């Protein structure tokens, strides 16, 4: 393999990683609490499929755009907590932590709020609310879903269940 071919393969790999990074995706961390990226936050079909009706956005974007984008996805303004923050090791998320955790508590489903410990692997949906009842699932996202939003979810779970890191 010559140098030119190696460079082409490297560039192709980088392009695939960026394409994957910006593809809408979300994952349920615990029943009723989802982690995702910015693309997932305004995909109405994904939000409905996962029964998400509240969002925490951690991004350095203009609120005007964000507000109209999530409203178009069916999330009303009062169910959207937006924290303007950058993806940087110097960004202080701690100053927002209590407000964000309180918001998640206000928006979460009664079934989620009644959990007294982290669900174990193999948790079955039959243990949660029936599909006939509204499930107030919450999506926490940042741009790519790999730094700010996982930090908030970890902090929230630590607070909720009284566990240490």
């Amino acid at each position: 393999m010559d140098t030119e071919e190696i460079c082409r393969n490297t560039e192709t790999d980088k392009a695939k990683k960026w394409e994957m990074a910006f593809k809408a995706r979300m994952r349920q961390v615990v029943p009723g609490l989802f982690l995702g990226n910015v693309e997932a936050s305004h995909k109405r079909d994904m939000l409905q499929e996962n029964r998400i009706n509240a969002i925490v956005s951690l991004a350095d974007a203009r609120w005007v755009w964000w507000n109209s984008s999530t409203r178009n996805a069916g999330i009303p303004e009062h169910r959207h907590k937006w924290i303007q923050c950058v993806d940087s090791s110097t960004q202080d998320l701690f100053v927002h932590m209590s407000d964000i955790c309180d918001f998640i508590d206000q928006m979460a489903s009664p079934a989620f709020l009644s959990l007294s410990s982290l669900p174990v692997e193999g948790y079955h949906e039959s243990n949660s609310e029936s599909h006939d009842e509204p499930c107030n699932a919450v999506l926490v996202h940042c741009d790519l879903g790999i730094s700010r939003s996982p930090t908030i979810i970890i902090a929230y779970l630590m607070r909720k269940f009284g566990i240490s890191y």
Side-chain angles (χ1 to χ4, degrees), residues 33-158:
L33 186 60
F34 286 77
L35 168 66
N37 65 356
V38 66
E39 293 300 317
S41 73
H42 57 267
K43 296 287 187 194
R44 183 184 287 265
D45 58 335
M46 286 182 83
L47 297 170
Q48 289 175 342
E49 177 184 325
N50 291 296
R51 303 168 77 199
I52 292 169
N53 64 8
I55 296 178
V56 175
S57 297
L58 304 152
D60 185 23
R62 295 184 55 88
W63 170 248
V64 174
W65 173 82
W66 215 270
N67 190 27
S68 64
S69 174
T70 54
R71 206 174 0 196
N72 291 338
I75 305 298
E77 188 174 341
H78 72 280
R79 298 193 65 82
H80 185 191
K81 179 94 171 151
W82 184 72
I83 304 295
Q84 186 172 10
C85 57
V86 295
D87 188 10
S88 166
S89 61
T90 61
Q91 176 67 59
D92 185 5
L93 291 176
F94 188 73
V95 298
H96 304 288
M97 210 67 76
S98 185
D99 285 344
I100 295 169
C101 291
D102 290 347
F103 177 81
I104 293 171
D105 281 340
Q106 291 169 359
M107 298 296 137
S109 71
F112 174 71
L113 293 174
S114 69
L115 292 175
S116 58
S117 64
L118 282 170
V120 294
E121 190 88 26
Y123 175 88
H124 295 296
E125 198 167 326
S126 62
N127 294 341
S128 66
E129 298 175 355
S130 79
H131 281 295
D132 297 335
E133 300 175 35
C135 178
N136 300 335
V138 178
L139 169 65
V140 179
H141 79 88
C142 55
D143 292 337
L144 300 178
I146 59 174
S147 55
R148 290 165 285 177
S149 49
T151 298
I152 294 298
I153 287 179
I154 290 167
Y156 175 78
L157 295 174
M158 289 171 61

